[in-house]
Every structure is written in structure tokens, then in C-alpha cells.
Amino acid sequence: MKPNFILGVILLLINSFLSPALGFSQNNTYEIFLGRSERYFRFEAQSKDQINILSGIVSIDRVDGLTVTAVANRNEFENFLKYGIPYQFIAAPNEGFEARMLDEVDIKGIDQWDFYPTYPAYESMMSQFQATYPELCTIINIGTLASGRKLLGAKITSTLVSSESKPQFLYSATIHGDETTGYILSLRLINLLLSEYNTNPKIKRLVDSIDIWVFPLANPDGTYKGGNTNINGATRGNANNVDLNRNYPDPRAGQHPDGYAWQQETLAFMALADQQHFSIGANMHGGAEVCNYPWDTWTQLAADDAWWINVCRQYADTAQRYSPAGYMTYLNSGITNGAAWYVITGGRQDYMNYFQNCREFTLELSNTKLLPAAQLPALWEYNYRSLLNYVEQALFGIKGKVTNSITGQPVHARVTIQGYDNNNSHVFSSPVHGGYFRYLAPGTYNVTFSAPCYEEITHSITLANRQTVFKNVQLTPIILQAAFTSSAPNIQIGQTVSFSDASCGSATSWLWSFAGGSPATSTLRNPQVTYNTQGAFSVSLAVNDGVNSHTLLKPDYVSVGLNFAMANGTITTCAGLFTDSGGLTGNYSSNENYTMTFLPTVAGAKIQVTFNSFDVEPNQTCNYDRLKVYNGTSITAPLIGTYCGTQSPGTIVASNLAGALTFQFISDASLNKSGWSATISCQYQGVGVSILQEDNSFKLFPNPVKEGNLFLECGQVQGEVRIINLIGQTVYCQKLNTNYQQLDVSFLQPGLYFLSIESEKRVMTRRFEIIR
């Protein structure tokens, strides 16, 4: 944690205890919100870190220096009051706003686009697009809300080129219901792409080469909060007063960073992204004039930072050229890294980039959120060229297909750039047609293509600005490689585990070995094994296809009887399952107050706890039921965090000399939930390890490895590969059988390891790290 961040936390805590809330107290927030679902307000922050902390309490709308504009519903505002920060209410965008509305719209008769449609007129316009241009446009409803309003999108593409060869592009607008400039610009963009397809060569090229998806109204319940006939009462949040741009899974803050369940709108767009595998897009907002690129949730730069700066600069520069002086010049002349402006969690942009491997940025179109209709034509003139140019970016970069070298069938492969990718910046080829799209700044890159049960391959590719490099890749299937999974790696004494063969190739025989299990060996492909003794036990599988053989050993793969339910006490262990008092199947009880400390079994090691599930009675301030985690041997140690609701603690690692973590759980008199399940392990750092000379005569990547596979490229070397942990134990061993070796290390805990290749002539060793 950075020192100035710590200072910000301390100042907030001091404020919360010593300063009275100014203006109003929690007791009369009912009056503040009477007739309102949300309030806009402004305050002066003490530091940038304080702003970033408060962004988890209320929805930060805009930051100018240390002046913060924020939006909150009643519960969020009550939490903000606890910090005792002076504030003043400001007018919401809908106050005093009167929109020019049209109830009947003929898309072919529109001249100026200086109006807002009523909601029925909006549905009619979308239907007209499809009816008028059926060969180019399909209108898709991804969800009908409880209000009856629909989440409508236009898919615009021609059939001249198969969709298998096309990138999927996504524009969406108005995720905040009172930011409506993008609503009309999106409708007008649909109209432009369709109406000028046969007369504008650039548009024809885009529509022929890209599947373009446009969703003009991502939050119809917020935009038409005052009724279907006007947008005068538009609000930021949806019908449940939830900020949809804080409601997505977050790579840093977990699945529900805002403390709310995923809204119907959120679920619909997440499902759309899962189905369509968008490669590039943008989300339109209002309230500023700037291109906001990843990341929003943390300050580290994206792997594609140079590419983002390039494409956002192109957008802003083009908009500036076709607009009056001062437009799209906010912050760094119209572009900004999101977290450098202010940090948010649960944003759509970071969700799409991290979880969907899609390049999406946040496009802030106008300082005024609810723009007077007469100004809409001007905003279109400023932006439409930039909107088209950004769509065109989908055609540049590296693209191609990944197929099976023997059958020619598509392969769902991971496309990774060595020494470049981080935070899920890699992309995948389509499992349906094998196509992939990788957008990059000019340069030379070592691009690796890998997939389970295939030999990976790396190509050096040089890319110039606005260039497309086509690279089709054939992956060779691995002849034979042992692999397996299990139904439950953490069990009670006497329980049975089902093992499933997941080997690559065409094995005809299987020989299993189960330390501590009954039976101790098996020749079945998918055996079941019962464990009657407490401990952590290894499993190995040897497969044979009549010509080739391969063996995989997973040390300490099954944990038996090492289940620790929440209670008072101290446990010394480096393996096991940690649950609430109800165990894996029951809820915790009312009026609990337990403290449990975990100590490592090896001196110098650090306890690590990874939460697999978490569901504790929700409350904005975690005052009802809560799990508190301390970095040390008691509750007097530094507090790591307080957790409730479904906001999982994620993975927590001790950083104190004892290597201990202490958990305190308190529940109130009512409403018990399912609690949690977490895996206990240890990180060993520098314990009892001799210094080894590293050998660079073979390739080992990725390093560090975040997911389940580690890859070796070792030429003609034959022998045995071993992975050794930091206390000198061999945790993985298998024979080398190809020049390119894929190792499944998903069972290993995060930390440092040594990989050793032992041949008849010498021993070669390299160090690598596993991170999660």
C-alpha cells in the first residue's frame, strides 16, 4: 500500500470519528430524498486517495482537481455522511430540463435530428431500421425489463463476407439514463451506416468487413424514469436506483463491488458479451468531453497503453478539427487514463477488457448530460467522423484463424504476446470458426498460440501503424499427455472422490496411484476412491496408447479431513478448507462471535486463504453480519478488511513475521446466509533454498504464469522435468516427450518455484513464479 493511500485512509477514519456530518444527519435523509431517487452533490476532497476511497461509497461523476461531483441514492448518501465531509447539493441534470419530444418518427423523413423520441417512438424507429434495410440490419432484444421497456440493439452487417472472418464491434450508449447525447448519436449512426451503404465507399467497407452492433439505450428505465412520453425526469440509475456502470464484476474489487445484485440490464449485456465475443467497442457517456481508456479500477497501465493513447488521440484530434475551439479538450487535450482521472470499480469498460478480452473505452461526449435537443445536430457534426474512424480500428492489427494441423477444424486457442501481455490482455480465437483479432501499436511482437492438448507455436510479427497483418496458424495435436480432474479436492474422512481422465491423445490404458486412498491403484479410466485417513495425498496417472506413455504426478492433490469450521481457536496448518460454522452445506447461526487464527506449519511461510464462495448478510457498512480479517495472530493486529454481502475477500496473504491470519466473525440476531468456503495454503518465500545457477538454454513461458499452463521449449533435449518449491520439495515430475511441452500447474499455489530439466548430460534450471 502506498504511503499517501495510508494517509488518506487515516484521514477518513479521523473524520468519521471526530467530525459531525454537515448539512443533514441520517435521521432526516428521508426529507432529503422525498420524491427523489438520487441526489447530485459536490464536495472538496483532501487528496486523490480520498476520492478513490469514496468512489466505493458513492458514484463519483466528475473530478476537477480535488473538486468532486457525485451522485448517490439514499443508502449511499447515508454512508457518505459518516465521513463528515462538507458538501453542497447541486441541481440534477433533469431539474428545469424540458426536452423536445417527438411521438411519431419516420426515419426517412428526419432532417435535423434535433429531438428526442418518446419511448414508443424509439421502439418504432428501431423497427423501421430493420424493415427498411432488411439485408443490412437486424434488431435484437437482449432483455425486456419489468417496466416492459426493451434493451434493443441493431446488428449491422452485409452478407458479402462471412461473419466468420469479421470482428465483432460494440457501441452502446446511455448506461446512465440522464446522459442522453450518445442516445441520439447512436440512433443517427445506425441511420448513417444503413442509408449511405450504397453511396459512401468507407461505410460500405466497414459494413462489409465488420459486424457492427449498436445499442442506443442501455438504461431505458433511467432515461424514461418520468414516463414513456418524455425524458424530462431522466435519472442516472435504473428503476432500482442502481448505477449500472458500477454494477459489473471488477478485476480488483470482485463480483459485486457496489454491494448490489447484478441488475437485469447488467446480466443482459454480460450474456451478450459471452455469446458474441466482441473484440472492440466503446461505451458512450456524458458529463465531460474526453476519451477515458483502461484501466479505471487500478493505476497500473494496460499492456495496450500505447495503442489506447494512439486510438483515443485520433478520436479526440478528429473531433477537435470539426468542432469549435474548446470541444473535446478536457484533461490531456481530450484523452485520459481512467484511474489517473479517478478510480471506480464495477465499470463496464474494465469488465469488457478484463473478463471478455475486448478493447472497450468510455467515450464522454458532452459536458451537459441532458443536452437541449437543438444542440444535438452540432454534437453529431463534431463526432461522427471519429465514431466511424474508431469502428475502422477493428480492421487493423493482427488477424487470422487457428486450426488443427491434421483435421483443419477450428481451435479455441489463446493468443499471447511474450513479455507484453498482462491482466488478461491476451485474446482467444473463436471456438466456432477459429478467427482471432489482436489490436496493437506499431512494433515487433513474439505472438504465441496455445491450446490444451496442442503443441504451442510462436511467431515473430511486425506491425506498422494502421496495418493489417494476416497470420493463419495450424496447431499440432499432442500425441499423448496425462491430465485429470477430480470432483472434490477437499473432503471429509470417509468420503469418496471421483477422478476423471482429461488426457490429451488417444490413451488405451490408464494406471492410477492414490496415496492414502482405497483402492490404492486403479486401471479404470474414471475411478472412484475413498479416503479414510486424514492428510494431504498425492495422485498420479500414467497413460499409454500402445506406443507412447506419459505420467503426471500431482503432489498433495487431495486434502482429507482438513476442514476447519469457524470457531474460537488457533490452527497450525498449510492445507485445508476453511468454512463458516455451518460447513459446506449449512448456514451460519445467529449471535455468533468467533475468532480463529491460522499459523503456518513451516517457519518463515505465510498463510494464504483463497475464498471460493462468500455470502454473508449484506449491509452497506457491514454492521449486521461481517467477517473481519487481521494481519497477525490476534484481533489487535492490523485490520486487512471487513467483508459482508457477496463481496468476496478474494485471496488474502499474511505479511507479518509469524505468517498468521486471524479471522473474526460476528452475526446479529436474524437473517443467516450460506457463509463462505475458502482454501488454506502457504506461501514459502526464501525458506531453506540453496541458490541455483539459472540456465537460459531453454524457453519457459509465460513467467509469471497466471493461469493453469506453463510451456517449455527445449529443442532436442530428452530427459525428465521437475518443479521444485522453495523448501526443496519436488512437487511435479514427468518425462519430456516433445520439443514443446505443456505443463498443467493449476494445482500449485502462488509463489516462486524452480523448474529443472535433467538429461543424461546435464541439469538445467530456471526460476518462475505463479500468480493469481
Side-chain angles (χ1 to χ4, degrees):
M1 184 178 290
K2 294 182 289 187
N4 60 344
F5 183 78
I6 295 174
L7 176 61
V9 174
I10 293 172
L11 290 172
L12 280 178
L13 290 175
I14 291 173
N15 276 339
S16 66
F17 284 102
L18 299 182
S19 301
L22 302 183
F24 292 91
S25 68
Q26 294 182 49
N27 294 330
N28 57 9
T29 55
Y30 173 81
E31 298 175 8
I32 299 173
F33 283 85
L34 187 62
R36 301 171 183 260
S37 60
E38 61 190 27
R39 293 297 306 259
Y40 278 77
F41 58 100
R42 186 170 292 139
F43 62 91
E44 292 293 323
Q46 297 172 348
S47 68
K48 193 68 173 288
D49 287 319
Q50 186 186 59
I51 295 172
N52 294 341
I53 293 169
L54 291 171
S55 71
I57 307 298
V58 296
S59 289
I60 303 297
D61 182 58
R62 179 170 171 141
V63 175
D64 295 287
L66 294 178
T67 301
V68 180
T69 302
V71 192
N73 61 32
R74 183 181 174 188
N75 286 337
E76 293 164 347
F77 188 71
E78 287 179 352
N79 288 326
F80 171 80
L81 288 178
K82 297 174 183 178
Y83 292 97
I85 299 173
Y87 64 89
Q88 65 178 117
F89 289 121
I90 60 176
N94 61 26
E95 293 185 43
F97 178 76
E98 293 291 336
R100 177 175 182 249
M101 307 294 300
L102 290 186
D103 186 41
E104 295 184 5
V105 180
D106 178 356
I107 61 169
K108 287 193 170 183
I110 302 174
D111 184 16
Q112 292 297 315
W113 290 83
D114 55 349
F115 65 91
Y116 289 98
T118 63
Y119 181 77
Y122 163 63
E123 280 202 14
S124 172
M125 291 174 70
M126 295 294 278
S127 296
Q128 289 179 58
F129 287 135
Q130 177 172 294
T132 307
Y133 305 97
E135 72 285 359
L136 298 176
C137 180
T138 303
I139 300 301
I140 297 172
N141 176 19
I142 63 171
T144 300
L145 305 176
S147 62
R149 302 183 184 109
K150 299 173 182 177
L151 302 173
L152 299 176
K155 180 183 178 182
I156 301 170
T157 189
S158 75
T159 57
L160 295 181
V161 179
S162 169
S163 287
E164 293 185 1
S165 303
K166 295 180 181 180
Q168 304 292 304
F169 184 98
L170 174 65
Y171 268 139
S172 61
T174 331
I175 192 173
H176 291 147
D178 58 3
E179 299 172 8
T180 53
T181 301
Y183 177 23
I184 303 305
L185 266 58
S186 294
L187 285 168
R188 194 162 182 178
L189 179 64
I190 295 171
N191 185 72
L192 177 71
L193 293 170
L194 297 174
S195 63
E196 295 194 12
Y197 173 76
N198 290 315
T199 59
N200 187 320
K202 180 174 183 176
I203 288 177
K204 178 175 174 58
R205 174 172 172 253
L206 295 180
V207 174
D208 285 346
S209 306
I210 306 167
D211 285 350
I212 306 170
W213 298 68
V214 185
F215 285 81
L217 194 57
N219 181 8
D221 283 352
T223 299
Y224 292 95
K225 195 69 166 281
N228 284 344
T229 60
N230 65 73
I231 64 168
N232 298 341
T235 61
R236 180 185 183 93
N238 70 348
N240 297 324
N241 306 324
V242 173
D243 185 336
L244 297 177
N245 202 45
R246 305 294 187 273
N247 192 237
Y248 282 85
D250 188 88
R252 176 176 62 86
Q255 296 293 290
H256 299 278
D258 60 355
Y260 298 107
W262 291 325
Q263 301 296 289
Q264 187 175 353
E265 299 92 333
T266 307
L267 290 168
F269 276 97
M270 287 167 62
L272 176 72
D274 285 339
Q275 295 163 6
Q276 298 304 323
H277 305 292
F278 295 105
S279 59
I280 186 171
N283 191 10
M284 302 183 199
H285 286 245
E289 295 166 0
V290 68
C291 300
N292 177 115
Y293 56 87
W295 297 96
D296 280 335
T297 189
W298 49 42
T299 56
Q300 56 189 292
L301 297 180
D304 292 314
D305 188 63
W307 180 81
W308 277 121
I309 291 172
N310 183 38
V311 298
C312 287
R313 173 56 57 212
Q314 182 187 73
Y315 189 103
D317 287 353
T318 303
Q320 290 168 18
R321 180 178 179 182
Y322 293 96
S323 63
Y327 180 72
M328 196 63 75
T329 58
Y330 186 53
L331 298 175
N332 181 21
S333 190
I335 73 172
T336 185
N337 170 275
W341 188 12
Y342 59 92
V343 169
I344 71 166
T345 58
R348 231 282 295 278
Q349 166 184 282
D350 284 4
Y351 167 78
M352 292 297 288
N353 280 273
Y354 189 88
F355 293 101
Q356 296 292 345
N357 308 102
C358 170
R359 300 326 185 236
E360 177 174 292
F361 80 98
T362 302
L363 174 57
E364 302 276 0
L365 285 167
S366 59
N367 288 327
T368 302
K369 288 171 173 279
L370 286 170
L371 199 70
Q375 297 179 27
L376 290 169
L379 266 293
W380 169 256
E381 178 64 23
Y382 305 163
N383 283 277
Y384 82 85
R385 300 168 187 85
S386 295
L387 292 170
L388 292 175
N389 287 342
Y390 185 62
V391 175
E392 189 180 27
Q393 290 292 338
L395 299 178
F396 305 136
I398 305 170
K399 64 184 295 187
K401 288 188 176 183
V402 184
T403 56
N404 185 307
S405 64
I406 298 174
T407 67
Q409 293 299 306
V411 175
H412 183 46
R414 176 173 168 163
V415 183
T416 307
I417 301 175
Q418 299 174 30
Y420 177 91
D421 280 323
N422 61 49
N423 293 322
N424 282 6
S425 59
H426 57 269
V427 299
F428 292 92
S429 59
S430 167
V432 178
H433 50 73
Y436 71 92
F437 305 90
R438 186 66 164 97
Y439 307 113
L440 294 162
T444 299
Y445 302 91
N446 291 322
V447 185
T448 298
F449 300 83
S450 60
C453 295
Y454 288 88
E455 296 179 8
E456 74 168 31
I457 189 170
T458 300
H459 293 282
S460 179
I461 300 175
T462 299
L463 185 70
N465 189 37
R466 295 177 63 82
Q467 182 188 18
T468 306
V469 173
F470 294 91
K471 188 64 180 181
N472 293 329
V473 175
Q474 292 183 327
L475 293 184
T476 302
I478 291 174
I479 296 174
L480 188 68
Q481 187 176 74
F484 60 86
T485 60
S486 69
S487 58
N490 292 284
I491 62 170
Q492 298 287 353
I493 295 174
Q495 287 188 328
T496 298
V497 178
S498 297
F499 291 90
S500 299
D501 170 56
S503 299
C504 304
S506 302
T508 56
S509 66
W510 300 263
L511 179 58
W512 297 81
S513 177
F514 306 104
S518 178
T521 62
S522 176
T523 57
L524 297 176
R525 182 174 184 179
N526 300 308
Q528 292 186 328
V529 181
T530 301
Y531 290 85
N532 296 308
T533 305
Q534 186 182 54
F537 301 104
S538 301
V539 176
S540 70
L541 170 62
V543 292
N544 192 294
D545 63 4
V547 177
N548 306 287
S549 63
H550 184 254
T551 301
L552 171 64
L553 169 68
K554 292 188 179 183
D556 298 334
Y557 182 66
V558 179
S559 175
V560 183
L562 300 177
N563 293 0
F564 308 105
M566 189 70 198
N568 290 320
T570 298
I571 306 295
T572 301
T573 186
C574 271
L577 192 68
F578 174 40
T579 69
D580 62 279
S581 62
L584 290 172
T585 58
N587 290 5
Y588 57 82
S589 300
S590 299
N591 299 314
E592 290 188 355
N593 190 342
Y594 293 130
T595 301
M596 178 174 279
T597 298
F598 290 98
L599 293 167
T601 55
V602 179
K606 308 294 184 184
I607 289 289
Q608 173 177 293
V609 178
T610 300
F611 283 79
N612 308 311
S613 63
F614 191 84
D615 188 6
V616 170
E617 182 183 4
N619 176 255
Q620 287 288 322
T621 56
C622 291
N623 283 333
Y624 299 159
D625 301 348
R626 64 269 192 193
L627 179 68
K628 307 183 82 170
V629 187
Y630 297 88
N631 188 22
T633 58
S634 71
I635 60 174
T636 61
L639 177 67
I640 293 175
T642 301
Y643 306 93
C644 67
T646 55
Q647 186 172 348
S648 170
T651 296
I652 300 176
V653 183
S655 61
N656 56 85
L657 291 177
L661 290 176
T662 295
F663 296 83
Q664 183 185 42
F665 181 68
I666 299 172
S667 61
D668 62 12
S670 63
L671 190 57
N672 312 135
K673 306 288 272 186
S674 59
W676 66 88
S677 168
T679 301
I680 300 171
S681 58
C682 286
Q683 282 195 4
Y684 305 96
Q685 299 179 356
V687 182
V689 180
S690 59
I691 298 175
L692 301 176
Q693 182 66 37
E694 292 204 9
D695 194 307
N696 292 313
S697 59
F698 66 94
K699 294 182 180 179
L700 175 68
F701 49 88
N703 187 9
V705 55
K706 185 174 182 180
E707 298 181 356
N709 292 317
L710 182 68
F711 302 95
L712 293 178
E713 183 178 338
C714 46
Q716 302 300 318
V717 175
Q718 298 296 314
E720 192 170 62
V721 59
R722 292 178 181 273
I723 295 177
I724 304 165
N725 66 21
L726 286 178
I727 59 173
Q729 296 173 321
T730 296
V731 295
Y732 186 103
C733 181
Q734 72 174 50
K735 294 287 185 182
L736 286 170
N737 59 359
T738 63
N739 295 340
Y740 297 95
Q741 195 87 357
Q742 177 176 305
L743 309 180
D744 180 5
V745 295
S746 60
F747 68 97
L748 293 176
Q749 296 298 325
L752 289 175
Y753 294 87
F754 294 96
L755 185 140
S756 176
I757 297 178
E758 303 175 9
S759 67
E760 293 181 357
K761 296 181 179 180
R762 60 175 175 151
V763 176
M764 302 177 290
T765 303
R766 292 284 298 278
R767 180 173 57 185
F768 72 96
E769 183 181 6
I770 296 176
I771 61 175
R772 295 286 189 265

